[in-house]
Amino acid sequence: MSAFLSIRNLSVALKGGPRLLRAVSLDVAVGEVRGLVGESGAGKSMIGKAVLGILPHSVEVVAGEIWLDGVDLLRLKPAERRRKVGATAALIPQDPLTALNPSRRIGRQITDRLVDILGWTRADAESRALELLGEVHIPDPARVMHSYPHELSGGMRQRVLIASAFAAEPRLIVADEPTTALDVTVQKQILRLIAQMQARHGTALLFVTHDLGVVSKVCSSLSVLYGGLVLEQTGVRDFFRAPQHPYSRALLAATPQYTDPMAGLNPVPESVIAAVTEEVAQADRGWRHG
Amino acid sequence: MADLYTVTDLHLSLPDMVHKPLLGSAPRIDILHGLNFTIASGEVLGIVGGSGSGKSTLGRVLVRLLEPTRGQVLFDGQDITHLDEAALRPLRRRFQMIFQDPMSSLNPRRTVAAIIAAPLKLQGFDDTSRRVDRALDHVGLPRAFRGRYPHELSGGQRQRVGIARAIAMEPEFILADEIVSGLDVSSQAQVLKLLDDLVRELGLTLAFISHDLSVIRRLCSQVMVLHQGRIVEHRPTQALFDAPQAAYTRELLDSIPLPDPDQPWAMLET
């Protein structure tokens, strides 16, 4: 198994409280795009945050291993871990307006990481940033380097963040709902751009989303989550042809399709919710804090 | 069927505060450029468009939160284009609005019952308590929720409270502005099914603003597509989806990712 990222039995819990991730195991190979799917509160963003080491302070990893490029991140000292993650992984966040510093120019925000963490010279970092802004189809990159975030549209800001994520040639990218704040036509452009960049750079991608339509376009495999528990993991084609778990089937039935007026928009039945809640409770049996 | 709304040559411009000089008045930006349409009584009209198309601005004109610059808006035969607040007050009960973000449109320091009752009291209804109960029944929330606060509810439940507040007034018209875009698919499906049932049960006329054509297809009988403040297409839902006329409508449709890996979507082309 040539997994670049391998998560083994990862449990994350509120400090002194219940678990939010329940023994999650999943792999992402080089060049693979894995979708993490589920409703709000399913723990899909939490997985990405655990990998990048940016969990909120109220939350801690209580068990498991996160192997990135042959190293278990959870055994590294904090400084070593930051260096390892900084050099190999990057994040495309959900909301480009809060992810960019409003009072600093775009160019600096892209180059800082290259200079401060990876030790590039300022000149090298700037020419790399310029090249990347061109690669994400930003017109007039030299002008954008000197712009402030508020001078750009939502789609342009998201392009800047994509350029920034790919800047240091990371081998893993976590994309956390990167298009939910955008309207459909811009969403299509951004998804297409992420797919192009991913294919060109051969990056492993962990793609967090609640939209199964988006998954079917971007991902090669997916993991369905509920209550911090992985319910099903499979290839994208197999999933859309024949989802195995009753909850996956219900989620697919809730997804609207404009081609068929009667398709989709069926709420997940209470019986399915009850069954999957029981599955989560089952997983917690025999588990205790610490 | 009679027309509930008749809109003629609607123009609206707003001051552009970004380019306001230090002294003197701000230049104006034109948002809506001469819209003409009617909304029949009992119709469910979907209003779609990208960000900045003017769909929310149009909605706010219909419930007269904004005053048109030019043109005319008739509600049930009455000219409401330039009515002042006092004259609008008795009409406010008849057109209600449900907001996009229930977290910022429900007062966090008030209970569900108080939130639903507040506009009823303003309009001088006396049996508010009974009306609150009935509204909760309609939206499928247990009456025990009367004493809860918004932060104790899930996103879908909060949106139901917003709907309950609107229907408690027994309005003829409801404007719903992107009310499901913050919800995940399962709660989205629940809220849409609820709206669909309410329109039938209560004989409502509904304008449903959304950027998502799949949602519109399921719910609406007519669709209006807005682009840069102009109506590019306005037709019955079935006809619009069978053969979209405007290039912009086709672009919107082509952009929707269907949950089907075999849909051609040209992901890797430049």
Side-chain angles (χ1 to χ4, degrees):
Chain A
M1 186 72 207
S2 65
F4 185 71
L5 170 70
S6 179
I7 299 175
R8 299 285 109 204
N9 294 313
L10 179 68
S11 287
V12 165
L14 282 170
K15 284 181 181 157
R19 283 198 292 180
L20 304 174
L21 292 181
R22 297 177 154 87
V24 168
S25 291
L26 58 87
D27 293 320
V28 190
V30 172
E32 178 180 352
V33 183
R34 175 169 291 273
L36 295 180
V37 184
E39 296 174 64
S40 9
K44 48 195 196 304
S45 293
M46 201 64 78
I47 294 177
K49 287 182 177 156
V51 172
L52 297 174
I54 49 171
L55 286 171
H57 291 297
S58 53
V59 162
E60 62 187 344
V61 173
V62 288
E65 296 158 15
I66 302 174
W67 293 85
L68 181 69
D69 194 20
V71 184
D72 182 2
L73 293 178
L74 299 178
R75 293 193 194 183
L76 296 181
K77 294 198 184 92
E80 283 171 0
R81 178 177 179 174
R82 271 200 302 277
R83 219 171 301 130
K84 178 72 188 163
V85 171
T88 33
L91 170 74
I92 304 176
Q94 173 170 5
D95 179 359
L97 199 51
T98 48
L100 289 166
N101 185 335
S103 63
R104 304 190 68 219
R105 295 180 196 275
I106 298 293
R108 277 288 162 134
Q109 301 198 43
I110 302 178
T111 53
D112 269 355
R113 177 154 154 275
L114 301 177
V115 175
D116 297 348
I117 298 176
L118 302 172
W120 294 27
T121 66
R122 182 65 66 186
D124 281 354
E126 272 174 13
S127 68
R128 173 76 179 140
L130 212 54
E131 179 188 310
L132 274 160
L133 289 178
E135 206 179 328
V136 297
H137 309 295
I138 283 184
D140 199 357
R143 188 183 56 82
V144 170
M145 287 280 281
H146 289 95
S147 302
Y148 289 97
H150 76 267
E151 299 175 277
L152 307 178
S153 69
M156 279 300 150
R157 281 185 214 124
Q158 198 55 279
R159 280 168 201 270
V160 165
L161 287 170
I162 292 170
S164 175
F166 280 93
E169 293 286 350
R171 297 174 62 201
L172 171 76
I173 286 185
V174 177
D176 192 356
E177 308 238 14
T179 58
T180 17
L182 306 172
D183 69 45
V184 279
T185 49
V186 183
Q187 163 171 281
K188 182 172 184 178
Q189 296 163 8
I190 296 294
L191 290 178
R192 193 186 277 183
L193 178 65
I194 293 176
Q196 275 171 7
M197 296 286 282
Q198 185 274 334
R200 192 178 309 150
H201 297 258
T203 324
L205 188 59
L206 207 48
F207 197 101
V208 177
T209 178
H210 64 267
D211 187 339
L212 284 172
V214 169
V215 168
S216 78
K217 299 294 164 279
V218 184
C219 302
S220 48
S221 57
L222 82 166
S223 308
V224 181
L225 288 131
Y226 185 89
L229 195 66
V230 176
L231 300 179
E232 175 167 6
Q233 317 208 49
T234 176
V236 154
R237 271 174 198 283
D238 289 340
F239 180 83
F240 286 97
R241 197 180 312 124
Q244 295 299 308
H245 198 280
Y247 177 77
S248 309
R249 285 199 287 273
L251 206 57
L252 199 53
T255 306
Q257 301 189 25
Y258 73 90
T259 43
D260 177 356
M262 295 327 283
L265 297 183
N266 304 300
V268 176
E270 309 231 332
S271 59
V272 174
I273 296 289
V276 77
T277 309
E278 174 54 30
E279 228 177 294
V280 169
Q282 198 82 38
D284 270 352
R285 239 158 257 160
W287 180 85
R288 64 189 173 76
H289 226 272
Chain B
M1 228 175 350
D3 288 334
L4 188 61
Y5 273 100
T6 309
V7 175
T8 351
D9 193 32
L10 173 66
H11 285 262
L12 186 123
S13 60
L14 293 171
D16 178 6
M17 299 315 280
V18 175
H19 294 110
K20 184 190 180 309
L22 185 56
L23 300 172
S25 59
R28 301 187 70 87
I29 331 176
D30 295 323
I31 313 279
L32 301 174
H33 303 267
L35 309 187
N36 293 291
F37 62 92
T38 58
I39 305 177
S41 188
E43 178 178 316
V44 180
L45 170 68
I47 303 177
V48 274
S51 6
S53 59
K55 52 190 195 300
S56 289
T57 306
L58 170 60
R60 275 155 204 263
V61 170
L62 292 178
V63 294
R64 265 308 311 277
L65 293 176
L66 289 173
E67 187 177 343
T69 324
R70 205 141 56 81
Q72 190 187 46
V73 180
L74 296 181
F75 174 75
D76 197 16
Q78 186 178 352
D79 188 344
I80 60 165
T81 324
H82 302 290
L83 284 188
D84 61 23
E85 206 39 58
L88 278 169
R89 187 45 77 80
L91 288 167
R92 292 252 179 247
R93 184 194 66 76
R94 301 174 62 191
F95 42 77
Q96 286 290 308
M97 176 165 181
I98 310 167
F99 297 87
Q100 172 168 10
D101 177 11
M103 215 38 195
S104 58
S105 59
L106 302 177
N107 188 333
R109 308 175 83 167
R110 290 191 149 191
T111 61
V112 166
I115 288 169
I116 300 174
L120 291 168
K121 288 186 178 143
L122 276 177
Q123 288 285 346
F125 287 97
D126 39 17
D127 48 352
T128 49
S129 179
R130 199 174 49 82
R131 283 174 186 271
V132 169
D133 281 341
R134 214 164 46 197
L136 286 174
D137 293 349
H138 269 305
V139 299
L141 287 177
R143 289 187 183 179
F145 273 43
R146 291 180 63 114
R148 299 228 188 156
Y149 289 89
H151 74 265
E152 299 176 284
L153 309 177
S154 73
Q157 289 168 340
R158 275 185 217 128
Q159 208 48 290
R160 280 166 196 260
V161 174
I163 296 173
R165 174 171 60 185
I167 61 167
M169 308 281 280
E170 296 176 3
E172 288 140 76
F173 175 78
I174 289 184
L175 169 73
D177 190 353
E178 295 270 17
I179 62 166
V180 295
S181 51
L183 305 176
D184 50 40
V185 279
S186 182
S187 347
Q188 189 179 339
Q190 287 174 6
V191 169
L192 288 171
K193 186 164 183 314
L194 170 67
L195 267 188
D196 199 23
D197 294 345
L198 287 175
V199 164
R200 259 177 264 261
E201 263 171 54
L202 308 175
L204 288 170
T205 307
L206 180 70
F208 186 85
I209 298 176
S210 177
H211 64 272
D212 186 344
L213 275 163
S214 344
V215 167
I216 297 248
R217 166 137 220 192
R218 185 63 193 268
L219 188 70
C220 304
S221 52
Q222 294 274 331
V223 186
M224 176 194 295
V225 182
L226 281 181
H227 185 47
Q228 295 175 351
R230 292 190 169 81
I231 298 175
V232 295
E233 192 158 3
H234 181 188
R235 292 197 299 149
T237 309
Q238 184 72 38
L240 181 123
F241 280 89
D242 286 347
Q245 299 292 309
Y248 183 69
T249 312
R250 282 198 295 273
E251 192 188 333
L252 276 182
L253 283 171
D254 288 342
S255 302
I256 301 173
L258 289 172
D260 170 10
D262 294 321
Q263 178 202 14
W265 218 52
M267 277 304 290
L268 287 174
E269 285 167 25
T270 350

